[in-house]
Amino acid sequence: MISVGVLGATGAVGQRFVQLLAGHPNFELSVLTASKRSAGKKYRDAASWRLEVPFPEDVGDIIVSDTTVESLKKVDLVFSALPADLAGEVEMQCAKAGIGVCSNASTYRMEPDVPLVVPEVNADHLGMIDLQRDKGTDGFIVTNPNCSTIMLTCSLAPLRTFSFSDIKVATMQAISGAGFEGIPGMAIFDNLIPYIGNEEEKMERETLKIMGTFDGAEVQNAPFSVSACCNRVPVIDGHSMSVWIDIKDQVEKVEKAFRTWKSTLPDLPTLPEKSVDYIDLPDRPQPRLDRMKGKGMTVSIGRVRPGIRYQAMGHNTIRGAAGASILNAEVICDRDYL
Amino acid sequence: MISVGVLGATGAVGQRFVQLLAGHPNFELSVLTASKRSAGKKYRDAASWRLEVPFPEDVGDIIVSDTTVESLKKVDLVFSALPADLAGEVEMQCAKAGIGVCSNASTYRMEPDVPLVVPEVNADHLGMIDLQRDKGTDGFIVTNPNCSTIMLTCSLAPLRTFSFSDIKVATMQAISGAGFEGIPGMAIFDNLIPYIGNEEEKMERETLKIMGTFDGAEVQNAPFSVSACCNRVPVIDGHSMSVWIDIKDQVEKVEKAFRTWKSTLPDLPTLPEKSVDYIDLPDRPQPRLDRMKGKGMTVSIGRVRPGIRYQAMGHNTIRGAAGASILNAEVICDRDYL
Amino acid sequence: MISVGVLGATGAVGQRFVQLLAGHPNFELSVLTASKRSAGKKYRDAASWRLEVPFPEDVGDIIVSDTTVESLKKVDLVFSALPADLAGEVEMQCAKAGIGVCSNASTYRMEPDVPLVVPEVNADHLGMIDLQRDKGTDGFIVTNPNCSTIMLTCSLAPLRTFSFSDIKVATMQAISGAGFEGIPGMAIFDNLIPYIGNEEEKMERETLKIMGTFDGAEVQNAPFSVSACCNRVPVIDGHSMSVWIDIKDQVEKVEKAFRTWKSTLPDLPTLPEKSVDYIDLPDRPQPRLDRMKGKGMTVSIGRVRPGIRYQAMGHNTIRGAAGASILNAEVICDRDYL
Amino acid sequence: MISVGVLGATGAVGQRFVQLLAGHPNFELSVLTASKRSAGKKYRDAASWRLEVPFPEDVGDIIVSDTTVESLKKVDLVFSALPADLAGEVEMQCAKAGIGVCSNASTYRMEPDVPLVVPEVNADHLGMIDLQRDKGTDGFIVTNPNCSTIMLTCSLAPLRTFSFSDIKVATMQAISGAGFEGIPGMAIFDNLIPYIGNEEEKMERETLKIMGTFDGAEVQNAPFSVSACCNRVPVIDGHSMSVWIDIKDQVEKVEKAFRTWKSTLPDLPTLPEKSVDYIDLPDRPQPRLDRMKGKGMTVSIGRVRPGIRYQAMGHNTIRGAAGASILNAEVICDRDYL
């Protein structure tokens, strides 16, 4: 068992980390950090648990620590659910202190020697850990992308063998993506908001790095363009997106690619049977019905039509955040970086 | 005052017609038709009024008629809120009986001699009424487009002076568009449905006719393509859409077009001060906040970005259905077709 | 025209005050106050208008003032939408400076010489203004009750002629009652919260004062008990409540009382035709369908059953807050207290 | 393993039965019935699975049968999710054919020799099976109550030692209780409906039978009265209720009863660790956060206050329907009635 911690364990993504790590076969949850206000309390009391899944009683007695590298002495690996403005310093300190960092924060995602990884898509980018170590970092920082970018890149994985140069994507994103307190009820009931700060830029930038080629020294960005329109919709969990990709081939070939594609990763606890699942029904995927497929780790695809157009959907705080980061860690362990 | 009727007056669009026509300065509501089940009842009792606006008591005592041409003897003009499968026969009978028909049904929209009109965009297509009369029809049939097509074409009106050939549009459509009984609560709460039957085809087809040129004899379709992804979202009223249009000009020029464009129509009761309103805020338009602009007749635009990308939104049962049809009738009267 | 101001004009209730006062026949909106952060800005820019009704452009250019008595020199009357913790000092200063204060804040509601008024129920309590003036206050403070208490007491007005001693009420309250930022979307989607801070106490306490008798010197509390269970539900506007009242008479008599009761107030701009409206349908009142009756000032009643049980519902930010306060002011003017 | 069937397996409650029975340690799902329209199809295709939990693939290949006793030859026990108007005949035929029937339908609930059972409350009423057998029925019919009645009676179980005579209960019930198609989105978004057909009568009637005493021959109804106000609210799953019970004892004693009460049932697969769970937080229970406690079988209680008032909540299609019926079956097997 590898001893792990969660940074920012009381927020929306932090609670998902705790839920998914409680009972994990390889990772033992031993440190949970939060703001000073929560430090010293039992996690049970500090968390004010707000997931629809019952509280994992086993970890309820862990005393919440302050979010500092000192609190993390006994762990080998930390998962970071910190907001971007807080993540920078403590994540770097952890990495320098020999701790592996799997971060959901955006701070280091675009750094040249930090892997931005969706394992089914670009696990080879983990080779950048060697670059970090060459520079004297004992631990490492590995990041997962922004939630909507994860759904998009998973959906693109089966399409890599096709020729295309232009992607347009309109997202319809769930409110949990903004955190528990992020969006007032009055702002989103009977409504949608056609704006999510920085989200379009993240999708356009991160997708190219993830789909890019890593030659052992640096990433060459993928040679296509991405244009995103991001919308917040009144859905609790599950980011949907309508995607156009200028593939000239027939619909049938694209459908077949979605149906037959399989990840080449080994068997891992958090890897679903199908990372990409093509649903052969006229009105799917739908967030409430499909987001828990593969325990929330499957990206569901549907409605391939000429254009090529298709619909993709996945659970934003599992596949798109905490689960993504944990899967990264499982691949990292499997490849003996830890 | 022109005596008018509403066909299918008890449904979602029918009730909007009644609400908007009650108190109209030029049209006097005198006949309301519905299915046999409702015929003979007072409208007050037959309607089971389900709009958020209080019931217009003035018309409550009208006795609902069966939906036949015989019921409509005393009217000069009817508004049709019938479902497509019922509209065909009775609308044609009305037109032949000398009654003007302004129809929200899809039945005749693509007929070569039936105008498909959004007045701010192609009021000149009303010239097709002459074609109908040349063939011996005393009345006429004029149609308004599908709700989402209306929002799209209104947003395109200010962009006609630009050069473009390709439009991609992802819609997020309100549940009222499917009628009062259309979508079970269990199907759409905490969910979205990436499919609306026939909607993408309608948007792609109708837009080209509306934006086409009418030379007095026939319509030449507009020379661009439209590709649509239609999604149903948990919003009561107001269709939103994220639009890409391959205009090469600068964002500023497009924004200016949206800000400065004005319809050339004369002053009419249902014509809003601004048919297109550009909102200069980062997170708009939003359905709940903007759908009632211009008494529900304004299409709100926002977020013009390179691409060109923008967001459009309008009230689907007012601007996108009943109000659109009434505005058509006002223009028809203004042009002395009635 | 009486020159009026609104204290706390940018919040949820403050915006309702502005909406309802824009265009009022007797009150001229001349001062709008808010926090220091907003002071100096045009109301148009400071408000970030979030009502579903379009912004009242006429008042958009009013420069927002700081919430101090100095800002209010030119007004004769202020409406207070301040939070309870801020209202105390500035409301008292206004009253002492000769300004009439109609307050929605809870601060002074239970003070012995401050009227707590629902005009249809206890307009005679306005006589307490004389008590205030006897103590040297040139202006006055008049309060309206908590939103849910208003609905309850309006529903009790027609029942005063019956004998009863015990009321039990379970409320289902809209999220707008907590202000624009009050309840996170994540907290209330697909959920309800069986707790609203202090609300049960307010209902139990305020109802007895309002229904009490004022003998010119003090209020004798009403001789019955009220027990409340308050729930927050995912409804935007409109507080519903299931009420039990131990009236031994027949259902028909109670129904008749609801149907025939009329307020004895004179004609006033904000007074609806029916302050209490009995809906004779099996499944009403419903918030979305009935909250705008009487321009939001009508309390709708339905389903009188043995018990006696009934359902009541009204618009919480109009009937239950801003509209209530404005109606108070209209009665105050009518009775020449200003 | 006991071979079991589900009658009406494609509806909302039917799908819950299938979900909960797939993988049950003692019951083997072998027959699924539905309407003629579905008969002959694989359950996978007939169900159009609409639960938020992924489809149980193991049972997907079962061929759906027509809902007749002939289809059920190979089962010993059936669970009935039929609507009340269809349940009567086929359930009786099954019982006469020697099959045990655990029914969620209301048809036979009030029959003098049919047990209406919530096992934690009145498992002894199962003795009525002997009465049925005395009359020559080889199988049996055992019913579980209406969903809201189950929550209420579970919450009353710990209070039996107190003296009380009057219960008032205002429910806030989830839309899943009306079936998948039961409530249009337009009817319940931003709304609530203060009426559920027959629900108040069921709660008032069934509670007294369940809480009554069975002397081996007949049930003596419980000696208290129940008065219910039933509301439908926009919540997907989870019925909440605000309850008044005229217990004169102190709040602390009632709280203690809720905290310490334990069912005397033996360990059974569907019996949760806590059938009644008192949550010691000021704003609970909440449907989204608490409905899945005890795998959906726990009734959560909170906010005991003078009155006595308290809040109760449980999952309406698990604890309140399918799970209740399965737990009944487990007790029946444990007591060797099958």
Side-chain angles (χ1 to χ4, degrees):
Chain A
M1 295 291 280
I2 293 166
S3 174
V4 305
V6 174
L7 307 180
T10 56
V13 171
Q15 294 195 7
R16 278 285 176 212
F17 269 119
V18 171
Q19 179 214 337
L20 298 174
L21 289 167
H24 191 282
N26 308 129
F27 299 143
E28 179 164 18
L29 204 45
S30 49
V31 177
L32 298 171
T33 85
S35 66
K36 281 207 170 59
R37 194 164 41 84
S38 295
K41 294 183 188 167
K42 286 186 180 180
Y43 184 64
R44 184 187 315 284
D45 302 320
S48 62
W49 191 254
R50 282 171 288 188
L51 297 187
E52 72 292 350
V53 194
F55 183 75
E57 299 293 340
D58 290 356
V59 301
D61 291 332
I62 295 181
I63 303 297
V64 172
S65 311
D66 198 6
T67 304
T68 60
V69 68
E70 287 73 30
S71 309
L72 297 157
K73 297 240 157 99
K74 62 178 169 177
V75 308
D76 299 309
L77 181 66
V78 295
F79 295 98
S80 170
L82 294 173
D85 55 334
L86 297 183
E89 199 176 327
V90 69
E91 290 186 4
M92 186 56 77
Q93 288 172 341
C94 285
K96 291 197 168 156
I99 300 168
V101 177
C102 287
S103 175
N104 187 56
S106 63
T107 321
Y108 294 110
R109 284 181 194 154
M110 298 309 295
E111 287 300 303
D113 59 356
V114 172
L116 177 63
V117 175
V118 178
E120 293 94 328
V121 182
N122 68 334
D124 63 304
H125 287 207
L126 290 172
M128 280 182 236
I129 293 174
D130 295 323
L131 302 182
Q132 293 181 29
R133 291 190 167 159
D134 291 348
K135 290 185 187 162
T137 306
D138 279 347
F140 58 77
I141 297 176
V142 168
T143 61
N144 57 273
N146 172 48
C147 46
S148 53
T149 308
I150 293 180
M151 309 312 161
L152 178 62
T153 53
C154 279
S155 81
L156 293 176
L159 305 183
R160 276 187 150 166
T161 55
F162 293 93
S163 172
F164 60 88
S165 66
D166 182 62
I167 292 168
K168 298 194 188 331
V169 54
T171 70
M172 288 150 277
Q173 302 186 219
I175 59 172
S176 61
F180 288 130
E181 313 281 344
I183 300 178
M186 285 297 289
I188 193 69
F189 258 93
D190 183 20
N191 203 19
L192 64 84
I193 304 172
Y195 176 72
I196 302 174
N198 254 325
E199 191 83 358
E200 296 170 354
E201 295 79 356
K202 285 178 188 167
M203 288 192 82
E204 293 169 12
R205 193 168 59 209
E206 295 178 7
T207 301
L208 301 191
K209 179 171 178 182
I210 299 161
M211 305 288 289
T213 51
F214 175 61
D215 62 6
E218 59 176 10
V219 171
Q220 193 76 29
N221 269 2
F224 56 81
S225 65
V226 177
S227 175
C229 289
C230 291
N231 297 277
R232 185 76 69 189
V233 295
V235 166
I236 298 175
D237 288 312
H239 285 358
S240 293
M241 51 196 68
S242 295
V243 184
W244 284 264
I245 181 168
D246 63 337
I247 290 173
K248 301 299 171 204
D249 283 84
Q250 293 164 313
V251 163
E252 290 71 25
K253 287 191 179 165
V254 174
E255 277 188 331
K256 190 178 168 194
F258 280 129
R259 274 203 195 88
T260 58
W261 181 85
K262 290 223 81 172
S263 145
T264 58
L265 293 172
D267 198 28
L268 294 167
T270 302
L271 187 72
E273 199 194 315
K274 292 183 179 182
S275 296
V276 169
D277 182 40
Y278 188 75
I279 308 181
D280 208 1
L281 289 167
D283 60 354
R284 301 288 275 269
Q286 295 179 20
R288 200 164 68 84
L289 298 184
D290 298 314
R291 65 191 173 206
M292 284 314 295
K293 290 210 169 138
K295 296 187 180 167
M297 287 298 288
T298 293
V299 174
S300 294
I301 310 283
R303 301 203 71 222
V304 175
R305 288 153 291 157
I308 296 293
R309 281 166 282 174
Y310 64 87
Q311 189 83 359
M313 196 281 307
H315 195 298
N316 55 301
T317 64
I318 301 178
R319 174 78 250 191
S325 211
I326 295 171
L327 183 57
N328 276 353
E330 291 169 2
V331 178
I332 287 166
C333 293
D334 179 70
R335 300 196 173 187
D336 293 329
Y337 283 108
L338 198 83
Chain B
M1 296 291 282
I2 294 165
S3 174
V4 306
V6 174
L7 308 180
T10 55
V13 171
Q15 294 196 5
R16 278 286 177 210
F17 268 119
V18 172
Q19 179 214 337
L20 298 174
L21 289 167
H24 192 281
N26 308 129
F27 299 143
E28 179 165 16
L29 204 45
S30 49
V31 177
L32 298 171
T33 85
S35 65
K36 281 206 171 59
R37 192 164 41 84
S38 295
K41 295 185 189 168
K42 286 187 179 177
Y43 185 63
R44 187 187 313 285
D45 302 321
S48 64
W49 191 254
R50 281 171 289 188
L51 297 188
E52 73 293 350
V53 194
F55 182 74
E57 298 292 343
D58 289 356
V59 301
D61 290 332
I62 294 179
I63 303 296
V64 173
S65 311
D66 199 4
T67 304
T68 62
V69 69
E70 287 72 30
S71 309
L72 297 156
K73 296 240 158 102
K74 61 178 168 177
V75 307
D76 300 309
L77 181 66
V78 296
F79 296 98
S80 169
L82 294 173
D85 55 334
L86 298 183
E89 198 175 327
V90 70
E91 290 185 5
M92 186 56 79
Q93 288 172 340
C94 285
K96 291 197 168 156
I99 301 169
V101 177
C102 286
S103 176
N104 186 56
S106 63
T107 321
Y108 294 110
R109 284 181 194 153
M110 299 309 295
E111 287 302 302
D113 60 357
V114 172
L116 178 62
V117 175
V118 178
E120 295 94 325
V121 181
N122 68 335
D124 64 304
H125 286 207
L126 290 172
M128 280 183 236
I129 292 174
D130 295 324
L131 303 182
Q132 295 181 28
R133 292 194 166 157
D134 290 350
K135 291 185 187 160
T137 307
D138 280 345
F140 58 78
I141 296 177
V142 169
T143 60
N144 57 273
N146 172 48
C147 48
S148 52
T149 309
I150 293 181
M151 309 312 160
L152 179 62
T153 53
C154 280
S155 81
L156 293 175
L159 305 183
R160 277 189 151 166
T161 55
F162 294 93
S163 170
F164 61 87
S165 65
D166 182 62
I167 291 169
K168 297 193 187 333
V169 54
T171 70
M172 288 150 278
Q173 301 185 219
I175 58 173
S176 61
F180 287 131
E181 313 281 344
I183 301 177
M186 285 299 289
I188 192 68
F189 258 93
D190 183 20
N191 203 18
L192 64 85
I193 304 172
Y195 176 73
I196 302 174
N198 254 326
E199 191 83 359
E200 296 170 352
E201 294 78 357
K202 286 179 188 166
M203 288 191 83
E204 294 168 11
R205 194 168 60 211
E206 296 178 8
T207 301
L208 301 190
K209 179 171 179 182
I210 298 161
M211 304 288 289
T213 50
F214 175 62
D215 62 5
E218 60 175 9
V219 172
Q220 192 77 30
N221 268 2
F224 55 81
S225 65
V226 176
S227 174
C229 288
C230 291
N231 297 278
R232 186 75 69 189
V233 295
V235 166
I236 297 174
D237 289 312
H239 284 359
S240 295
M241 48 196 69
S242 297
V243 184
W244 284 264
I245 181 168
D246 63 337
I247 291 174
K248 301 299 173 205
D249 283 84
Q250 293 164 314
V251 162
E252 290 72 23
K253 287 192 180 165
V254 174
E255 278 188 331
K256 192 180 166 192
F258 280 129
R259 274 204 195 89
T260 58
W261 181 85
K262 292 222 81 173
S263 144
T264 58
L265 294 173
D267 198 28
L268 294 167
T270 301
L271 186 70
E273 199 195 315
K274 291 182 178 181
S275 295
V276 169
D277 182 40
Y278 189 75
I279 308 181
D280 208 2
L281 288 168
D283 59 355
R284 302 286 277 268
Q286 295 179 21
R288 199 164 69 83
L289 297 184
D290 298 314
R291 65 192 171 206
M292 284 313 295
K293 289 209 170 139
K295 295 186 180 167
M297 286 298 288
T298 294
V299 174
S300 295
I301 310 284
R303 300 202 72 221
V304 174
R305 288 153 289 157
I308 295 294
R309 282 167 279 175
Y310 64 87
Q311 188 84 358
M313 196 282 308
H315 195 298
N316 55 300
T317 65
I318 301 178
R319 174 78 250 191
S325 211
I326 295 171
L327 182 57
N328 277 354
E330 290 169 0
V331 177
I332 287 166
C333 292
D334 179 69
R335 300 195 174 188
D336 293 327
Y337 283 107
L338 197 82
Chain C
M1 296 291 280
I2 294 167
S3 175
V4 305
V6 174
L7 307 181
T10 56
V13 172
Q15 295 196 7
R16 278 285 176 211
F17 269 119
V18 171
Q19 179 215 335
L20 297 175
L21 289 167
H24 192 281
N26 308 130
F27 299 143
E28 179 165 18
L29 203 44
S30 50
V31 177
L32 298 171
T33 85
S35 67
K36 281 206 170 59
R37 195 164 40 83
S38 294
K41 294 184 189 168
K42 286 185 179 178
Y43 184 64
R44 186 186 313 284
D45 302 321
S48 62
W49 190 253
R50 282 170 288 189
L51 298 188
E52 72 295 348
V53 193
F55 182 74
E57 298 293 341
D58 290 356
V59 301
D61 291 332
I62 294 180
I63 303 296
V64 172
S65 310
D66 198 4
T67 303
T68 61
V69 70
E70 287 73 29
S71 309
L72 296 158
K73 297 241 158 101
K74 62 177 169 177
V75 307
D76 298 310
L77 182 64
V78 296
F79 295 98
S80 170
L82 294 174
D85 54 335
L86 297 183
E89 198 177 327
V90 69
E91 290 185 3
M92 187 55 79
Q93 288 171 342
C94 284
K96 292 196 168 157
I99 301 168
V101 177
C102 287
S103 176
N104 187 56
S106 62
T107 320
Y108 294 110
R109 284 180 194 155
M110 299 309 294
E111 287 300 303
D113 60 356
V114 172
L116 177 62
V117 176
V118 178
E120 294 94 328
V121 182
N122 67 335
D124 63 304
H125 287 209
L126 289 172
M128 281 184 236
I129 292 175
D130 296 324
L131 302 182
Q132 295 181 27
R133 290 195 168 155
D134 291 348
K135 290 185 188 162
T137 307
D138 280 345
F140 58 77
I141 296 176
V142 168
T143 61
N144 58 273
N146 172 48
C147 46
S148 52
T149 308
I150 293 181
M151 309 313 161
L152 178 61
T153 53
C154 280
S155 81
L156 293 177
L159 305 183
R160 276 188 151 167
T161 55
F162 293 93
S163 171
F164 60 89
S165 65
D166 181 62
I167 292 169
K168 298 195 188 332
V169 53
T171 70
M172 289 149 277
Q173 302 186 217
I175 59 172
S176 60
F180 287 131
E181 314 280 344
I183 301 177
M186 287 296 291
I188 193 70
F189 260 93
D190 183 20
N191 203 19
L192 65 83
I193 305 172
Y195 176 72
I196 302 175
N198 253 325
E199 192 82 359
E200 296 170 352
E201 293 80 355
K202 286 179 188 167
M203 288 191 83
E204 295 169 10
R205 193 169 59 210
E206 296 179 6
T207 300
L208 302 191
K209 179 172 179 182
I210 299 162
M211 305 288 289
T213 50
F214 175 61
D215 61 6
E218 60 177 8
V219 171
Q220 193 77 29
N221 270 1
F224 55 81
S225 65
V226 177
S227 174
C229 289
C230 292
N231 297 278
R232 186 77 69 188
V233 295
V235 167
I236 297 175
D237 289 312
H239 285 358
S240 294
M241 50 197 67
S242 296
V243 184
W244 284 264
I245 180 167
D246 63 338
I247 291 174
K248 302 298 171 206
D249 283 84
Q250 290 164 316
V251 163
E252 291 70 25
K253 288 193 180 165
V254 174
E255 277 188 332
K256 191 179 169 195
F258 280 130
R259 275 205 194 89
T260 57
W261 181 84
K262 290 222 82 173
S263 144
T264 58
L265 293 173
D267 198 27
L268 295 168
T270 301
L271 186 72
E273 200 195 314
K274 292 182 178 181
S275 295
V276 169
D277 183 41
Y278 189 75
I279 308 181
D280 207 2
L281 289 169
D283 60 354
R284 301 288 274 267
Q286 295 179 20
R288 199 163 71 81
L289 298 184
D290 299 313
R291 65 192 171 206
M292 284 314 295
K293 290 212 170 136
K295 296 187 181 167
M297 286 298 289
T298 294
V299 173
S300 295
I301 309 284
R303 302 201 73 223
V304 174
R305 287 153 289 157
I308 294 291
R309 283 166 281 173
Y310 65 87
Q311 188 83 359
M313 196 280 310
H315 195 298
N316 55 302
T317 65
I318 300 178
R319 174 79 251 191
S325 211
I326 294 171
L327 182 56
N328 277 353
E330 290 169 1
V331 178
I332 287 166
C333 292
D334 180 69
R335 301 197 172 187
D336 292 328
Y337 284 108
L338 198 81
Chain D
M1 295 292 281
I2 294 165
S3 176
V4 305
V6 174
L7 306 180
T10 57
V13 171
Q15 293 195 7
R16 279 285 175 211
F17 269 119
V18 172
Q19 178 214 337
L20 298 175
L21 288 167
H24 191 282
N26 308 128
F27 299 143
E28 179 164 17
L29 204 46
S30 50
V31 177
L32 298 172
T33 85
S35 66
K36 281 208 170 58
R37 194 164 40 84
S38 294
K41 295 183 189 168
K42 287 186 179 179
Y43 185 64
R44 186 187 313 286
D45 302 322
S48 63
W49 190 254
R50 282 171 287 188
L51 298 188
E52 73 294 347
V53 194
F55 182 74
E57 298 293 340
D58 288 358
V59 301
D61 290 332
I62 294 179
I63 303 296
V64 173
S65 311
D66 199 5
T67 304
T68 61
V69 69
E70 288 73 29
S71 308
L72 296 157
K73 299 242 157 100
K74 62 177 168 177
V75 308
D76 299 309
L77 181 66
V78 295
F79 296 98
S80 170
L82 293 173
D85 54 335
L86 298 183
E89 198 176 329
V90 70
E91 290 185 4
M92 187 56 77
Q93 289 172 340
C94 285
K96 293 198 166 153
I99 301 169
V101 177
C102 287
S103 175
N104 187 57
S106 62
T107 320
Y108 294 110
R109 284 182 194 153
M110 299 310 295
E111 287 301 302
D113 59 356
V114 173
L116 177 61
V117 175
V118 178
E120 294 95 326
V121 182
N122 67 334
D124 63 304
H125 287 207
L126 290 172
M128 281 183 236
I129 293 175
D130 295 324
L131 303 182
Q132 295 181 28
R133 291 193 167 156
D134 291 349
K135 292 185 187 159
T137 307
D138 279 346
F140 58 78
I141 296 176
V142 169
T143 61
N144 57 273
N146 172 48
C147 46
S148 52
T149 308
I150 294 181
M151 308 312 159
L152 178 62
T153 51
C154 279
S155 82
L156 293 176
L159 305 183
R160 277 188 150 166
T161 55
F162 294 92
S163 170
F164 61 89
S165 66
D166 182 60
I167 292 169
K168 298 194 186 332
V169 54
T171 70
M172 288 150 277
Q173 301 186 219
I175 58 174
S176 61
F180 288 131
E181 313 280 344
I183 301 178
M186 285 299 288
I188 193 70
F189 259 94
D190 183 19
N191 204 18
L192 63 85
I193 303 172
Y195 176 72
I196 302 173
N198 252 326
E199 192 83 359
E200 296 170 353
E201 293 79 356
K202 285 178 188 168
M203 288 190 83
E204 294 168 11
R205 193 169 58 209
E206 296 179 8
T207 301
L208 302 190
K209 178 170 179 183
I210 298 161
M211 305 287 290
T213 49
F214 175 62
D215 62 5
E218 60 177 6
V219 171
Q220 191 77 28
N221 269 1
F224 55 82
S225 65
V226 177
S227 175
C229 288
C230 292
N231 297 278
R232 186 76 70 190
V233 295
V235 166
I236 297 175
D237 289 312
H239 285 358
S240 294
M241 50 196 69
S242 297
V243 184
W244 283 265
I245 181 167
D246 63 338
I247 290 174
K248 302 298 171 208
D249 284 85
Q250 291 164 316
V251 163
E252 290 70 27
K253 286 191 181 166
V254 175
E255 277 188 331
K256 191 179 168 193
F258 281 130
R259 274 204 195 88
T260 57
W261 181 86
K262 292 222 83 173
S263 142
T264 57
L265 293 173
D267 199 28
L268 294 166
T270 301
L271 186 71
E273 199 195 315
K274 292 183 180 182
S275 295
V276 169
D277 183 40
Y278 188 75
I279 308 181
D280 206 1
L281 289 168
D283 59 355
R284 301 289 274 268
Q286 295 178 20
R288 201 165 68 84
L289 298 184
D290 298 314
R291 65 194 172 205
M292 285 313 296
K293 290 210 169 138
K295 296 187 180 168
M297 286 297 288
T298 293
V299 174
S300 295
I301 310 283
R303 301 201 72 222
V304 174
R305 286 153 291 156
I308 294 293
R309 282 166 281 174
Y310 64 87
Q311 188 84 359
M313 197 282 308
H315 195 298
N316 55 301
T317 65
I318 300 178
R319 174 79 248 191
S325 211
I326 295 172
L327 182 57
N328 277 353
E330 291 169 1
V331 178
I332 288 165
C333 292
D334 180 69
R335 301 194 173 189
D336 292 327
Y337 284 107
L338 198 82

